[in-house]
């Protein structure tokens, strides 16, 4: 099953996506930056195929604007933005400094995730701390904000760890994500409170048929 966005020339396809995922893409949001709305916007899935006017491949910004219009016209989306204080984690450098390898200038960006015995391994090439913070947000079930001050691109691995809500097998060598971050990358997740600007959904409807 394909899930996500595909752009091929002027054709754009959104496959098996919920309305929350469409909103995330349209407005370039993280999951925790969306609040409100009925339960079906996360559970019901839609396939959308569209053709952008003109020749060539449209930019991502243009596709986002097109999707914003579609959400307004077909889903009757209405929203407002508001700031709310949330429990977050700050990704910071540990007391002994980071254990990160600077990427080679000609390295290609890559990300892979594998799992075995309910443990997870992430292998990243030419990744940023902002990308790591976003990935960790789904593992600790709270927003993770990059406060490392590290602006480079890095190669790293995180191995044999379990998400905060995961239960590894009893005979595994699992460590928590908090321990893995500290021991393997020299970073730390610190609990904090922070204001987060979020889109608050005021109204949304299931779309009518084509």
């Amino acid at each position: 099953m394909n899930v996500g966005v595909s752009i091929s020339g002027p054709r754009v396809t959104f496959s098996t996506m919920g309305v929350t995922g469409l909103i995330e893409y349209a407005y370039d949001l993280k999951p925790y930056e969306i609040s409100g709305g009925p339960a079906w916007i996360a559970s019901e899935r839609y396939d959308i195929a569209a053709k952008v006017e003109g020749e060539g491949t449209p930019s991502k910004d243009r596709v986002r604007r097109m999707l914003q219009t579609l959400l307004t016209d077909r889903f009757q989306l209405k929203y407002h933005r508001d700031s709310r204080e949330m429990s977050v984690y700050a990704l910071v450098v540990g007391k002994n400094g980071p254990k990160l390898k600077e990427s080679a200038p000609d390295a290609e960006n890559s990300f892979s995730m594998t799992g075995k015995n309910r443990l997870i391994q992430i292998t990243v090439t030419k990744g940023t701390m902002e990308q790591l913070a976003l990935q960790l947000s789904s593992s600790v079930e709270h927003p993770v904000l990059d406060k490392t001050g590290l602006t480079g691109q890095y190669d790293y691995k995180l191995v044999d760890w379990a998400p905060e809500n995961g239960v590894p097998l009893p005979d595994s060598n699992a460590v928590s994500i908090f321990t893995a971050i500290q021991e393997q990358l020299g970073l730390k997740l610190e609990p904090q409170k922070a204001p987060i600007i979020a889109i608050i959904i005021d109204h949304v409807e299931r779309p009518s048929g084509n």
Side-chain angles (χ1 to χ4, degrees), residues 113-121:
M113 176 184 289
T114 58
K116 185 178 181 180
N117 294 334
R118 302 178 194 163
L119 301 184
I120 299 174
Q121 174 172 311

Side-chain angles (χ1 to χ4, degrees), residues 5-14 25 50-67:
V5 184
S6 172
I7 302 175
S8 178
R11 298 190 177 277
V12 182
T13 304
F14 300 90
Y25 188 91
K51 183 177 180 181
V52 181
E53 292 182 1
E55 300 297 325
T57 302
S59 67
K60 187 173 287 189
D61 284 342
R62 188 175 180 192
V63 173
R64 291 189 199 281
R65 291 193 300 271
M66 179 197 71
L67 184 55

Side-chain angles (χ1 to χ4, degrees), residues 4-205:
V5 184
S6 172
I7 302 175
S8 178
R11 298 190 177 277
V12 182
T13 304
F14 300 90
S15 302
T16 325
M17 292 181 67
V19 176
T20 49
L22 295 172
I23 294 172
E24 285 174 31
Y25 188 91
Y27 294 94
D28 195 16
L29 300 173
K30 302 175 180 64
Y32 57 79
E33 293 174 319
I34 301 174
S35 181
W40 63 263
I41 66 173
S43 60
E44 294 185 7
R45 302 287 167 167
Y46 295 90
D47 296 325
I48 299 171
K51 183 177 180 181
V52 181
E53 292 182 1
E55 300 297 325
T57 302
S59 67
K60 187 173 287 189
D61 284 342
R62 188 175 180 192
V63 173
R64 291 189 199 281
R65 291 193 300 271
M66 179 197 71
L67 184 55
Q68 290 171 19
T69 300
L70 184 145
L71 286 166
T72 300
D73 293 345
R74 295 293 306 280
F75 291 85
Q76 302 300 306
L77 176 66
K78 296 181 175 62
Y79 67 89
H80 68 278
R81 294 182 185 269
D82 198 5
S83 176
R84 53 182 180 150
E85 190 173 72
M86 297 180 61
S87 295
V88 304
Y89 286 104
L91 181 65
V92 300
V93 174
K95 63 180 181 179
N96 294 321
K99 302 176 183 179
L100 296 165
K101 177 187 175 183
E102 289 267 4
S103 302
D106 58 348
E108 293 186 3
N109 179 268
S110 67
F111 171 91
S112 69
M113 176 184 289
T114 58
K116 185 178 181 180
N117 294 334
R118 302 178 194 163
L119 301 184
I120 299 174
Q121 174 172 311
I122 290 177
T123 303
V124 176
T125 302
K126 209 167 189 178
T128 66
M129 293 298 97
E130 183 179 4
Q131 291 168 339
L132 174 59
L134 178 59
Q135 177 61 43
L136 293 175
S137 295
S138 61
S139 299
V140 299
E141 298 186 333
H142 286 288
V144 176
L145 308 180
D146 174 25
K147 301 291 185 181
T148 62
L150 301 173
T151 58
Q153 294 176 311
Y154 307 93
D155 302 342
Y156 59 86
K157 284 186 178 182
L158 268 177
V159 301
D160 292 341
W161 57 274
E164 187 177 28
N165 61 349
V167 181
L169 296 178
D171 60 348
S172 70
N173 297 317
V175 296
S176 73
I177 183 58
F178 301 94
T179 300
I181 285 287
Q182 195 157 357
E183 293 182 350
Q184 299 176 31
L185 301 186
L187 306 175
K188 189 176 179 181
L189 289 169
E190 293 184 343
Q192 295 182 1
K193 294 281 189 179
I196 301 293
I197 301 295
I199 273 185
I200 314 298
I201 297 174
D202 298 316
H203 180 82
V204 64
E205 298 178 7

